[in-house]
Amino acid sequence: MGAEHELADALLAAAREAGIDASEVTGLRQLSGGASKEMWAFDLVTAGGTTIPLVLRRQPAGRRFSSQGLPSVAAEAALVRLAEGVGVPVPSVAFELAPGSAAGDGYAMARITGETVGGRVLKLPELEQARAGMARHCGEILARIHGAGGYEPLGLRQIGAHEELAALEERHRLTGHDRPVFEFALRWLKGRLPVERARVLLHGDFRNGNLMVGPEGIRAVLDWELAHVGPPAYDLAWLCVTSWRFQRPDLPVGGFGTREDLIAGYEAAGGAPVDRAELHAWEVFQTMNWGVMCAGVAEAFLEGSRSIEAGVIARRASETEFDLMRLLAPDHEAWNVR
Amino acid sequence: MFDRPSPSLLIAEARRALEGGVAPGFPQKVVANALGIAQRQLEMGPALEEEERTRLVDLLGPEEDLASLNGRLAVAIRSASIDAEEPALINHLIRTTVAKLEIDQPAYPAFRAWRGSKPDQA
């Protein structure tokens, strides 16, 4: 295929431009293609005959960049490098595509293996050992991300608790669908979501499903495109949202661990002391945040973005309403009635 | 009041997917899920919505259709004209949410866990 030849050539040129003594690109194949971003696997053969297994994450030329966080896919590479510099496990960045590259906007990173599917991370027997230490390790990783400096030149979005809540309410209103449970949660949050003591670098989508896991533990944190600057509890709480616990709702941290382990790891690695009431308030926020995302899919569906997947995701908004009521009124007697 | 898309839209979309051919495994499961939601809503929806309407009339007074009642409840909560601690309000929100999960996702693990932990019916 001509297009693949062109992409291989562009990759070879980009690798050489980055100072890698590359002689050939082989085994190029597409792994996944979302609405805007694609992932490609390939091998870079060096002049010395070494083979480097890599993955390209890119947006083809001519497609509009869609991210709430970073200005471009290539800009993500700078963030991943920064994270690696503070000891966060990531797939190392090999090279970026130069602006205007025929291959589009993106970067190549180390091709590593491991399990990323949330439900399988919780079920696979060979990951049992990994699961035991994962909540604490997540805490340590988040403390390192949150403690990182030097992100200022990346031009990340900065958003505090107050603006987050206003934006959440606005997004809910835009769905045009009356949801008394979301109103109830918003009213609760307005009285209780505390203003953050500090704003830090956030991963923005840190959850089971975005972690690559091997038998020894977390191998890499993936999907950095929602990174921004804001309250530390934003990341800690998103990891605890019930929907990301898959088959193990009893284990609040990703379905694999406890909040106590998460917080212990976070504080031991230098994270600011975590206030449990603040974490709880952010769990309410993040649960509704996921719910509003599902509700948004429903509106998009009705406006014509129809697919069977969208139809089913749209009907997942109610799971967050259930989780919100469990969080906001756990002891109400209505739960005891059939 | 159940969420959108409606059962007929879900069925139409499932049919369109089947006409185009659906790969075995996860894609098939998604189609089956959509049909399951539609079936449960067609079978149980009307009775559950009638219960919801009765609760709403008890909370808000004069009866209207379900959509306007839900609109009124949303405004009442937002404007704090109803006490957020009111047990009848919380009771309604919990019951309505449980009814929605019955239709949308009875296998949702947190829902199943709550179900399993409930005291036995006398």
Short mmCIF file of all heavy atoms in Angstrom, two decimals, chain A residues 272-295:
data_model
loop_
_atom_site.label_atom_id
_atom_site.label_comp_id
_atom_site.label_asym_id
_atom_site.label_seq_id
_atom_site.Cartn_x
_atom_site.Cartn_y
_atom_site.Cartn_z
N ALA A 272 1.08 15.68 49.24
CA ALA A 272 0.52 16.43 50.37
C ALA A 272 -0.51 15.56 51.09
O ALA A 272 -1.20 14.77 50.44
CB ALA A 272 -0.13 17.71 49.87
N PRO A 273 -0.61 15.69 52.42
CA PRO A 273 -1.58 14.89 53.17
C PRO A 273 -2.97 14.95 52.53
O PRO A 273 -3.42 16.02 52.13
CB PRO A 273 -1.60 15.53 54.55
CG PRO A 273 -0.27 16.23 54.66
CD PRO A 273 0.12 16.63 53.27
N VAL A 274 -3.61 13.79 52.43
CA VAL A 274 -4.92 13.72 51.77
C VAL A 274 -6.02 13.83 52.82
O VAL A 274 -6.05 13.06 53.78
CB VAL A 274 -5.06 12.39 50.99
CG1 VAL A 274 -6.44 12.28 50.36
CG2 VAL A 274 -3.97 12.27 49.94
N ASP A 275 -6.92 14.79 52.61
CA ASP A 275 -8.06 14.96 53.50
C ASP A 275 -9.18 14.05 53.00
O ASP A 275 -9.61 14.15 51.84
CB ASP A 275 -8.49 16.43 53.47
CG ASP A 275 -9.70 16.69 54.34
OD1 ASP A 275 -10.83 16.32 53.94
OD2 ASP A 275 -9.51 17.26 55.43
N ARG A 276 -9.64 13.14 53.87
CA ARG A 276 -10.61 12.13 53.43
C ARG A 276 -11.94 12.74 52.98
O ARG A 276 -12.57 12.27 52.04
CB ARG A 276 -10.86 11.09 54.54
CG ARG A 276 -9.65 10.20 54.83
CD ARG A 276 -9.19 9.40 53.61
NE ARG A 276 -10.12 8.35 53.25
CZ ARG A 276 -9.99 7.07 53.58
NH1 ARG A 276 -8.95 6.67 54.27
NH2 ARG A 276 -10.87 6.18 53.20
N ALA A 277 -12.36 13.81 53.67
CA ALA A 277 -13.62 14.45 53.28
C ALA A 277 -13.48 15.09 51.91
O ALA A 277 -14.40 15.06 51.08
CB ALA A 277 -14.03 15.49 54.32
N GLU A 278 -12.30 15.66 51.65
CA GLU A 278 -12.04 16.28 50.35
C GLU A 278 -12.02 15.22 49.25
O GLU A 278 -12.58 15.40 48.17
CB GLU A 278 -10.71 17.03 50.39
CG GLU A 278 -10.42 17.81 49.13
CD GLU A 278 -9.19 18.73 49.25
OE1 GLU A 278 -8.52 18.74 50.31
OE2 GLU A 278 -8.89 19.40 48.26
N LEU A 279 -11.38 14.10 49.54
CA LEU A 279 -11.33 13.00 48.57
C LEU A 279 -12.76 12.52 48.27
O LEU A 279 -13.13 12.29 47.11
CB LEU A 279 -10.47 11.85 49.10
CG LEU A 279 -10.35 10.62 48.18
CD1 LEU A 279 -9.67 10.99 46.86
CD2 LEU A 279 -9.57 9.50 48.86
N HIS A 280 -13.56 12.38 49.32
CA HIS A 280 -14.95 11.93 49.15
C HIS A 280 -15.72 12.91 48.24
O HIS A 280 -16.44 12.49 47.33
CB HIS A 280 -15.63 11.81 50.51
CG HIS A 280 -17.09 11.46 50.44
ND1 HIS A 280 -17.54 10.21 50.10
CD2 HIS A 280 -18.20 12.21 50.64
CE1 HIS A 280 -18.87 10.20 50.11
NE2 HIS A 280 -19.29 11.40 50.43
N ALA A 281 -15.55 14.20 48.51
CA ALA A 281 -16.25 15.21 47.70
C ALA A 281 -15.82 15.10 46.23
O ALA A 281 -16.66 15.18 45.33
CB ALA A 281 -15.97 16.61 48.24
N TRP A 282 -14.53 14.87 46.00
CA TRP A 282 -14.07 14.74 44.62
C TRP A 282 -14.54 13.42 43.99
O TRP A 282 -14.73 13.35 42.78
CB TRP A 282 -12.54 14.88 44.53
CG TRP A 282 -12.16 16.33 44.48
CD1 TRP A 282 -11.73 17.11 45.53
CD2 TRP A 282 -12.21 17.19 43.34
NE1 TRP A 282 -11.51 18.40 45.10
CE2 TRP A 282 -11.79 18.47 43.76
CE3 TRP A 282 -12.57 17.01 42.01
CZ2 TRP A 282 -11.72 19.56 42.89
CZ3 TRP A 282 -12.50 18.10 41.13
CH2 TRP A 282 -12.08 19.36 41.58
N GLU A 283 -14.74 12.39 44.80
CA GLU A 283 -15.30 11.15 44.24
C GLU A 283 -16.73 11.40 43.76
O GLU A 283 -17.16 10.88 42.72
CB GLU A 283 -15.27 10.01 45.27
CG GLU A 283 -13.88 9.40 45.42
CD GLU A 283 -13.87 8.17 46.33
OE1 GLU A 283 -14.83 7.38 46.30
OE2 GLU A 283 -12.88 8.01 47.07
N VAL A 284 -17.47 12.20 44.52
CA VAL A 284 -18.82 12.57 44.08
C VAL A 284 -18.71 13.35 42.76
O VAL A 284 -19.41 13.05 41.79
CB VAL A 284 -19.54 13.41 45.16
CG1 VAL A 284 -20.86 13.98 44.63
CG2 VAL A 284 -19.77 12.57 46.41
N PHE A 285 -17.81 14.32 42.74
CA PHE A 285 -17.62 15.11 41.52
C PHE A 285 -17.28 14.23 40.33
O PHE A 285 -17.87 14.33 39.25
CB PHE A 285 -16.50 16.15 41.74
CG PHE A 285 -16.16 16.92 40.49
CD1 PHE A 285 -16.73 18.16 40.25
CD2 PHE A 285 -15.28 16.40 39.54
CE1 PHE A 285 -16.44 18.87 39.08
CE2 PHE A 285 -14.99 17.11 38.37
CZ PHE A 285 -15.57 18.33 38.15
N GLN A 286 -16.31 13.34 40.51
CA GLN A 286 -15.82 12.54 39.39
C GLN A 286 -16.84 11.51 38.93
O GLN A 286 -16.88 11.15 37.75
CB GLN A 286 -14.49 11.86 39.74
CG GLN A 286 -13.31 12.82 39.90
CD GLN A 286 -12.86 13.41 38.57
OE1 GLN A 286 -13.67 13.74 37.71
NE2 GLN A 286 -11.57 13.55 38.40
N THR A 287 -17.66 11.02 39.87
CA THR A 287 -18.72 10.08 39.50
C THR A 287 -19.72 10.79 38.59
O THR A 287 -20.12 10.27 37.54
CB THR A 287 -19.41 9.52 40.75
OG1 THR A 287 -18.42 8.88 41.56
CG2 THR A 287 -20.50 8.53 40.40
N MET A 288 -20.08 12.01 38.98
CA MET A 288 -20.99 12.77 38.14
C MET A 288 -20.31 13.17 36.83
O MET A 288 -20.97 13.20 35.77
CB MET A 288 -21.50 14.02 38.87
CG MET A 288 -22.39 14.85 37.97
SD MET A 288 -23.39 16.06 38.84
CE MET A 288 -23.87 17.10 37.44
N ASN A 289 -19.03 13.44 36.88
CA ASN A 289 -18.28 13.79 35.68
C ASN A 289 -18.41 12.68 34.63
O ASN A 289 -18.72 12.95 33.46
CB ASN A 289 -16.80 14.02 36.06
CG ASN A 289 -15.98 14.59 34.92
OD1 ASN A 289 -16.50 15.08 33.93
ND2 ASN A 289 -14.66 14.52 35.06
N TRP A 290 -18.22 11.44 35.05
CA TRP A 290 -18.38 10.30 34.14
C TRP A 290 -19.83 10.21 33.66
O TRP A 290 -20.11 9.96 32.49
CB TRP A 290 -17.90 9.02 34.82
CG TRP A 290 -18.25 7.73 34.13
CD1 TRP A 290 -18.87 6.66 34.70
CD2 TRP A 290 -17.98 7.35 32.76
NE1 TRP A 290 -19.02 5.64 33.76
CE2 TRP A 290 -18.48 6.04 32.58
CE3 TRP A 290 -17.38 7.99 31.68
CZ2 TRP A 290 -18.40 5.35 31.37
CZ3 TRP A 290 -17.30 7.31 30.46
CH2 TRP A 290 -17.80 6.00 30.32
N GLY A 291 -20.76 10.47 34.56
CA GLY A 291 -22.18 10.43 34.20
C GLY A 291 -22.53 11.46 33.14
O GLY A 291 -23.28 11.18 32.20
N VAL A 292 -21.97 12.65 33.27
CA VAL A 292 -22.26 13.70 32.30
C VAL A 292 -21.64 13.36 30.95
O VAL A 292 -22.20 13.65 29.90
CB VAL A 292 -21.78 15.08 32.82
CG1 VAL A 292 -21.90 16.15 31.74
CG2 VAL A 292 -22.60 15.50 34.04
N MET A 293 -20.48 12.68 30.98
CA MET A 293 -19.89 12.21 29.72
C MET A 293 -20.84 11.24 29.02
O MET A 293 -21.07 11.34 27.80
CB MET A 293 -18.54 11.52 29.96
CG MET A 293 -17.44 12.46 30.38
SD MET A 293 -15.90 11.51 30.65
CE MET A 293 -15.03 12.66 31.71
N CYS A 294 -21.40 10.30 29.76
CA CYS A 294 -22.35 9.33 29.18
C CYS A 294 -23.58 10.05 28.66
O CYS A 294 -24.08 9.76 27.56
CB CYS A 294 -22.78 8.30 30.21
SG CYS A 294 -21.45 7.24 30.79
N ALA A 295 -24.08 11.02 29.44
CA ALA A 295 -25.26 11.77 29.04
C ALA A 295 -24.98 12.56 27.76
O ALA A 295 -25.86 12.71 26.91
CB ALA A 295 -25.71 12.71 30.16
#
